[in-house]
Structures are given as C-alpha cells and as structure tokens.
C-alpha cells in the first residue's frame, strides 16, 4: 500500500502534515526505516503521499522537534540513532478527589494492566486525572503540544462526542476504555454488559430463585442501562415478571451506596431471595447490610456481583460474580493503542471482552425448597437440587476416574442424583458421539502432591488428545490435614497446580474444563458444585478452580 492508501485507511482526520508525520513515525517504529537510515526526500514524500512541499516539510520538522529524525546538510533526513520510545498518556476524566479512594481497587487493577503492557514494550506512560469541565481544554493542549503519541481515555460517565472530535481532528491515536457511543466509529475496549448481567441473573434463576433484586448505579449512563437490560432479559427468558419495586439505582458505585440499596430491599415486607448487585464494590456494602440485619449468606439471601475485583474472592463466603477483569481492560487497551501508534492497526478498532461467570460460595451449594435455601445434597426421590427446567443433568452420562475411591463415588453420585446416568470408566476414548457427557477425575492431592498432579495432567492430556468428546471435564482434588499448620501452603500449591492444568487443557478441550478443591470428607458438597458446573446453569464457567470447605471453619463454609 502506498502513502496515499495508508492515509486513506487511517481515516483519523486532522491536518495533513500530522497525518504524514503519524504515518512516518509508525513506519520508523515498525523498522521500515531503521536507525541511521535515510528517509525519502521532501519531493519523494510529496509524490508518495500526494501532498504539497509545505506539508512534507512541516511533517519532517515535527519529527525533528521530537528527536525522531535528524537533518544533515548535504546528506538529507536520517532516522535518529535510537528510535524514540512511544509516549502513552492515560487520562482519567471525572475520577478525582474522593472518587479515586472509592474505587481504588478497580483503578489499581486497570492501571496495572496499562503499566504492564506499556513497560513490557518500552513505552513511556504518564497519568493525569482531570475534572470533566476541564477535559476539553486539557485534550486540546495535549494534541497541540504533541507531548504524547497516543491517549487512553477513562471517563466516569459516558464518553462525549467532543472528546473524540478533539483527538480525531488532530489525528491523535486514542482508545476509550469501557465506554463507547453506539453507531459511532471509534477506538474502544469494552465488555458486553448486557450478556454479563444476563449470565448473573440466569445463574440465580437456574438455582430456583424467583424474587431477585437488582442494584446498580448511574442509570443515566450506558453501563447502568445495559446491566438493567440484561437483568430484564433473563427474567423474561425464564417467565418471571419484572418488578420495579425490586430495583434500586444509586448515584455512585460505592460500598456505602451498595449498603443503602441492599438494605432497603432486605427491609421490604417481602424481601428478595437473592440480589444481583451489578458492582462488586456495591456488593461488599450489600454483605454488610445483610449481616447487620442478622441474615446468613446464601441461606437467607444469595448474592451475585459484577467485575470480579480482588476483594470479591476474599469475602466470606466468596462472592459469585461476573468477571470482566479491569487488568485485561488496561492491558488490551494499551496493546491496541500501541498498535495504532505503530500502524499495525488502522482505526477505527474495537475490542470486546466476553464476560464470564465466576461461581463462589454466595450462591453455590444452595437449593430452593419451600421458599428457603438449603445446602444439603438431596436424595433420589426428587428432593434434591433441580433447576427450573427439571433435573439439570437429565439425559447426560457421567464416568468417574482416579485413585481416590470415596471422593470419586460421592462426586459421581451427586451427578447421578441430578439426573445423570453413570457409565463405566474402563474406556473413555471411544470416539466422537459415544463418549460420556461428563468425565470426573478425582484424586488425593495431599499425598505425593507432585505425582498426583502429574497423573491428573496426564489423564487430561490423554483424554483431550485421543479425541475424548466430553462436554465437561471436571477434576476433584482432595486435600487432607485440613487443620494442619502446613495446610495453607499445601492448599496454595495444589491450587496453583490445578490452575495450570485447567488453563492448559481448556485451550484444547472440546468442552469446558474446571476443577474443585475440597477435603476428602467433603465429597458430597464437592459433588454439589460439580453437578452445577455440568448443568446448563454452569455452561459459562470454564477454566476455573473452585474451593469447597477447604481451610475454612465449618460455620463459614461456602
């Protein structure tokens, strides 16, 4: 593609000299013009890009002033001996003052992702927080000074057309994080919040809950609207009527606002059985409200959050939530921006992160019987946990493998109670269409840990590589000595090993791959979790390692 074609492909607008400058900078950074090499002359640039001599000269002067190229009389214009590092500006709009403290964990994850990719690729990163009313003037100064090669934008509310117009008119590469304008061609990284909210609500509906509250903030912006839309779509899909009295919107995504909203729901004459709090930070406040009212989680009220911020896994019980990793937002946005700066991608570009449901103790292991949540496994006569659509594993087959007989029997037995039919496990590799739907490998990870994990990995590799067509591959890892002083270290090591196994196999397996870590005496409860993961309600959980009861007091199990 010649220079004119590249400029046309960029569609960034801005003064022509800036477009030529940006394209030359991208070609230099890609190595098309190595350090010390001669660049085309002004006349050659005019011909290549179809611009005037004045435009070509000004593009060169911009690069000279930035230290990218050098001009030598009688020789020409040369690339500097060392290619200048890319300069990335992270601009946070309207997250100032107390707002940073309220979302410190979220912003920390986001900046970690930005910094990780920037530093891995030798880019210079600057960060600025500004008030919304100051933002247009700040962005104008930024593009006029050319103090950055590209901009990452994170705004508290909806992104404004004015922000994008300023950047695009100047030909400045940019990426907007977690915001976009429907119908406008722009560069952004976002998540599918409608799908994420539908996953969260459907999970609760699959568990038998019908009176489900919804808590969110900022209903005036797209994030709030999309999450409410997903909640409503899930209710409609399951034939549950929408009740505006179960919906609470707050001004901000803070713990205090979450406390206020959830408490107002739980103090209703007929409170919800479960609450989808569309923000983990707000859900932390929701936990506090439930406990101040003397309620147990999930026995009295179940919770699902959104975002999977680090504190979500540390709550007791751990918070079931929708993962849309802020670290990934930062990492992917920075990757895209550097690709735009270096000309590896042409605008407009978008990246959409697919949300995933992360199931933890705030919902798992419960069933609805007579309007009350219970943790027991159930029996063959139909008293066990079932979804609203009947036995969740009806018509499926399950085969158990592994050396730990008791744990294996209990886990497979729990699946059978949910409607699955048990198959012999002598030969699992029988070819497509004839394999069991569910394969469970149960083993004792606390005895010869390295050998046990190695055998589990070998089994999984064998199943995947020989064409095992299981819909679900589950590992149940039992860990003894629950109260020993070394239990925490062992548990962390086993979890790390299982995470590597699951991560490797989930890339190659036809179906989903997950693992459950438990004590060998807790096989029945592990079976509860496995049965859920194999049901339609667990269809979106893949590549996860869940813990059941390990290392917790019995009164706090989840």
């Amino acid at each position: 593609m010649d220079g004119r074609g590249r400029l046309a492909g960029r569609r960034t607008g801005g003064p022509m000299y800036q477009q030529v400058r940006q394209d030359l900078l991208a070609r230099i950074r890609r190595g098309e013009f190595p350090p010390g090499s001669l660049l085309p002359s002004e006349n050659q640039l005019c011909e290549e890009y179809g611009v005037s001599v004045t435009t070509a000269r000004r593009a060169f002067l911009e690069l000279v002033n930035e230290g990218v190229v050098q001009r030598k009389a009688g020789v020409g214009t040369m690339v500097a001996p060392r290619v200048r590092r890319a300069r990335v500006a992270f601009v946070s709009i309207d997250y100032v003052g107390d707002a940073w403290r309220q979302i410190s964990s979220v912003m920390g994850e986001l900046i970690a992702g930005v910094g990780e990719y920037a530093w891995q690729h030798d880019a210079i990163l600057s960060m600025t927080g500004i008030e919304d009313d100051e933002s247009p003037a700040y962005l104008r100064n930024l593009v006029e000074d050319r103090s950055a090669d590209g901009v990452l934008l994170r705004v508290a509310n909806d992104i404004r057309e004015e922000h994008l117009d300023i950047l695009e008119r100047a030909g400045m590469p940019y990426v907007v994080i977690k915001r976009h304008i429907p119908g406008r061609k722009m560069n952004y990284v976002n998540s599918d919040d409608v799908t994420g909210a539908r996953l969260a609500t459907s999970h609760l509906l699959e568990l038998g809950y019908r009176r489900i509250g919804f808590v969110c903030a900022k209903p005036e912006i797209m994030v709030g609207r999309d999450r409410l839309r997903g909640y409503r779509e899930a209710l409609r899909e399951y034939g549950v009527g929408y009740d505006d009295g179960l919906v609470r919107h707050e001004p901000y995504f803070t713990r205090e606002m979450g406390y206020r909203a959830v408490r107002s729901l739980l103090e209703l004459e007929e409170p919800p059985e479960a609450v989808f709090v569309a923000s983990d930070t707000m859900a932390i406040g929701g936990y506090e409200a439930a406990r101040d009212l003397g309620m147990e989680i999930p026995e009295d009220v179940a919770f699902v959050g959104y975002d999977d911020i680090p504190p979500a896994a540390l709550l007791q019980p751990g918070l079931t939530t929708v993962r849309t990793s802020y670290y990934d937002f930062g990492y992917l946005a920075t990757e895209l921006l550097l690709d735009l700066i270096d000309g590896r991608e042409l605008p407009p570009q978008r990246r959409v992160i697919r949300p995933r449901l992360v199931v933890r103790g705030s919902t798992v292991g419960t069933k609805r019987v007579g309007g009350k949540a219970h943790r027991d496994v159930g029996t063959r006569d139909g008293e066990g946990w079932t979804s609203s659509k009947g036995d969740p594993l009806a018509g499926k087959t399950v085969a158990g493998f592994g050396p730990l007989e008791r744990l294996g029997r209990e886990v497979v037995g729990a699946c059978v109670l949910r409607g699955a039919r048990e198959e012999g496990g002598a030969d699992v590799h029988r070819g497509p269409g004839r394999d069991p739907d569910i394969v469970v490998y149960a083993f004792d990870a606390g005895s010869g840990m390295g050998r046990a994990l190695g055998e589990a990995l070998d089994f999984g590799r064998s199943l995947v590589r020989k064409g095992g067509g299981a819909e679900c591959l589950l590992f149940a890892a039992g860990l003894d000595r629950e109260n020993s002083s070394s239990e925490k270290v062992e548990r962390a090591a086993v979890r790390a090993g299982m995470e590597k196994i699951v991560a490797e196999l989930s890339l190659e397996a036809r179906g989903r791959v997950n693992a459950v870590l438990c004590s060998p005496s807790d096989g029945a409860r592990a079976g509860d979790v496995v049965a859920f993961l194999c049901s339609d309600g667990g269809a979106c959980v893949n590549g996860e390692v869940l813990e059941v009861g390990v290392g917790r007091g019995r009164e706090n199990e989840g």
Side-chain angles (χ1 to χ4, degrees):
M1 183 185 296
D2 63 14
R4 299 184 197 198
R6 283 192 299 272
L7 295 187
R10 281 183 174 276
R11 290 177 287 176
T12 57
M16 186 58 69
Y17 78 89
Q18 285 288 10
Q19 295 185 46
V20 174
R21 167 207 163 272
Q22 182 64 35
D23 192 60
L24 284 173
L25 176 62
R27 294 168 72 183
I28 290 169
R29 290 185 52 78
R30 289 200 307 269
E32 186 175 332
F33 299 114
S37 66
L38 278 172
L39 288 170
S41 67
E42 289 179 359
N43 288 334
Q44 287 172 319
L45 284 186
C46 293
E47 183 177 348
E48 181 176 357
Y49 288 100
V51 297
S52 67
V53 173
T54 302
T55 297
R57 183 171 300 151
R58 190 167 181 185
F60 269 147
L61 287 175
E62 289 281 315
L63 295 174
V64 169
N65 292 336
E66 295 173 29
V68 176
V69 303
Q70 300 171 345
R71 310 199 84 170
K72 294 186 178 181
V75 178
T77 305
M78 306 174 65
V79 179
R82 187 176 186 275
V83 177
R84 177 175 59 73
R85 298 163 67 187
R87 300 168 302 182
V88 172
F90 177 90
V91 180
S92 169
I93 299 176
D94 223 19
Y95 286 105
V96 294
D98 195 51
W100 279 83
R101 182 183 66 81
Q102 297 285 2
I103 58 166
S104 58
S105 61
V106 168
M107 195 62 78
E109 283 281 292
L110 180 64
I111 292 172
V114 171
E116 179 76 14
Y117 194 87
W119 296 324
Q120 283 178 352
H121 293 79
D122 201 29
I124 299 171
L125 174 64
S126 65
M127 293 184 289
T128 305
I130 54 175
E131 297 280 4
D132 185 59
D133 57 1
E134 300 172 354
S135 58
Y138 179 84
L139 292 176
R140 289 191 191 97
N141 289 333
L142 183 68
V143 298
E144 288 172 6
D145 295 342
R146 285 286 159 176
S147 55
D149 297 312
V151 179
L152 295 171
L153 274 179
R154 176 74 173 120
V155 297
N157 298 304
D158 282 333
I159 186 72
R160 302 210 312 256
E161 298 265 8
E162 182 182 11
H163 295 143
L164 304 184
D165 290 342
I166 292 169
L167 296 170
E168 290 177 358
R169 281 198 298 265
M172 173 69 76
Y174 71 89
V175 176
V176 179
I177 301 173
K178 279 186 71 68
R179 299 288 187 270
H180 75 286
I181 300 173
R184 173 154 183 166
K185 294 180 178 180
M186 56 182 286
N187 307 310
Y188 67 94
V189 176
N190 204 0
S191 64
D192 185 348
D193 283 325
V194 175
T195 295
R198 196 164 58 238
L199 286 176
T201 311
S202 296
H203 172 62
L204 292 170
L205 291 161
E206 280 288 338
L207 291 174
Y209 297 100
R210 288 297 175 269
R211 191 166 173 78
I212 300 171
F214 175 82
V215 170
C216 194
K218 293 185 176 290
E220 73 281 2
I221 69 173
M222 189 170 297
V223 169
R225 294 194 299 269
D226 283 352
R227 294 180 187 181
L228 177 61
R229 176 183 160 194
Y231 164 78
R232 297 188 69 162
E233 286 183 2
L235 293 177
R236 185 167 57 250
E237 180 184 345
Y238 281 78
V240 176
Y242 171 76
D243 182 352
D244 194 56
L246 294 176
V247 174
R248 296 289 185 274
H249 278 111
E250 296 289 343
Y252 303 107
F253 290 98
T254 66
R255 188 180 67 185
E256 291 77 12
M257 297 292 179
Y259 180 97
R260 182 172 74 178
V262 171
R263 179 152 187 157
S264 73
L265 287 174
L266 298 182
E267 288 181 329
L268 291 172
E269 184 175 340
E270 188 180 354
E273 307 160 338
V275 184
F276 168 35
V277 186
S279 157
D280 286 350
T281 302
M282 297 183 80
I284 292 172
Y287 266 48
E288 294 171 351
R291 285 181 171 138
D292 282 354
L293 293 171
M295 303 178 78
E296 294 292 329
I297 303 169
E299 287 82 356
D300 297 314
V301 59
F303 280 91
V304 178
Y306 204 101
D307 289 328
D308 197 27
I309 64 175
L314 303 178
L315 294 172
Q316 289 294 329
L319 176 64
T320 293
T321 185
V322 176
R323 176 175 295 168
T324 59
S325 169
Y326 276 85
Y327 175 91
D328 290 345
F329 278 120
Y331 193 92
L332 290 175
T334 311
E335 178 184 35
L336 175 56
L337 181 61
L338 288 175
D339 283 346
L340 291 167
I341 291 171
D342 291 347
R344 289 186 293 272
E345 295 281 5
L346 298 178
Q349 293 286 331
R350 68 168 186 161
R351 302 285 186 271
V352 179
I353 294 177
R354 180 182 177 185
R356 290 193 298 150
L357 185 69
V358 180
V359 181
R360 298 192 180 104
S362 65
T363 60
V364 162
T366 61
K367 62 174 184 177
R368 304 297 298 176
V369 178
K372 181 70 175 175
H374 298 272
R375 286 189 180 275
D376 53 308
V377 175
T379 61
R380 290 180 181 272
D381 62 6
E383 294 178 1
W385 177 93
T386 60
S387 74
S388 61
K389 299 178 181 179
D391 291 334
L393 302 183
K396 297 183 185 294
T397 55
V398 57
F401 299 84
L404 192 58
E405 293 186 1
R406 177 185 172 187
L407 179 58
R409 284 198 309 271
E410 290 185 330
V411 171
V412 171
C415 293
V416 171
L417 289 177
R418 305 318 194 271
R421 179 172 58 85
E422 187 172 1
E423 274 199 1
D427 179 18
V428 73
H429 311 298
R430 290 165 292 176
R434 294 181 293 146
D435 298 303
D437 300 295
I438 305 162
V439 172
V440 175
Y441 184 89
F443 66 103
D444 183 356
S447 177
M449 184 188 306
R451 175 187 54 78
L453 290 171
E455 290 175 353
L457 177 59
D458 288 343
F459 174 85
R461 283 173 173 168
S462 175
L463 177 65
V464 169
R465 293 173 184 175
K466 289 184 180 179
E471 177 183 312
C472 303
L473 170 58
L474 275 299
F475 293 92
L479 182 60
D480 264 327
R481 298 177 296 282
E482 188 171 335
N483 298 315
S484 71
S485 60
S486 63
E487 184 271 332
K488 288 185 178 180
V489 176
E490 284 188 352
R491 178 167 42 118
V494 172
R495 183 180 180 89
M498 290 309 305
E499 286 174 347
K500 289 183 178 180
I501 291 172
V502 167
E504 175 182 329
L505 297 177
S506 61
L507 293 175
E508 302 180 33
R510 184 183 71 85
R512 54 192 187 268
V513 182
N514 294 290
V516 176
L517 179 61
C518 63
S519 69
S521 61
D522 227 348
R525 292 200 58 240
D528 257 358
V529 179
V530 168
F532 167 74
L533 293 173
C534 296
S535 70
D536 291 340
C540 296
V541 185
N542 185 37
E544 298 295 334
V545 178
L546 307 179
E547 295 188 26
V548 179
V550 177
R552 300 185 177 95
R554 303 299 294 186
E555 71 279 3
N556 290 322
E557 284 184 357

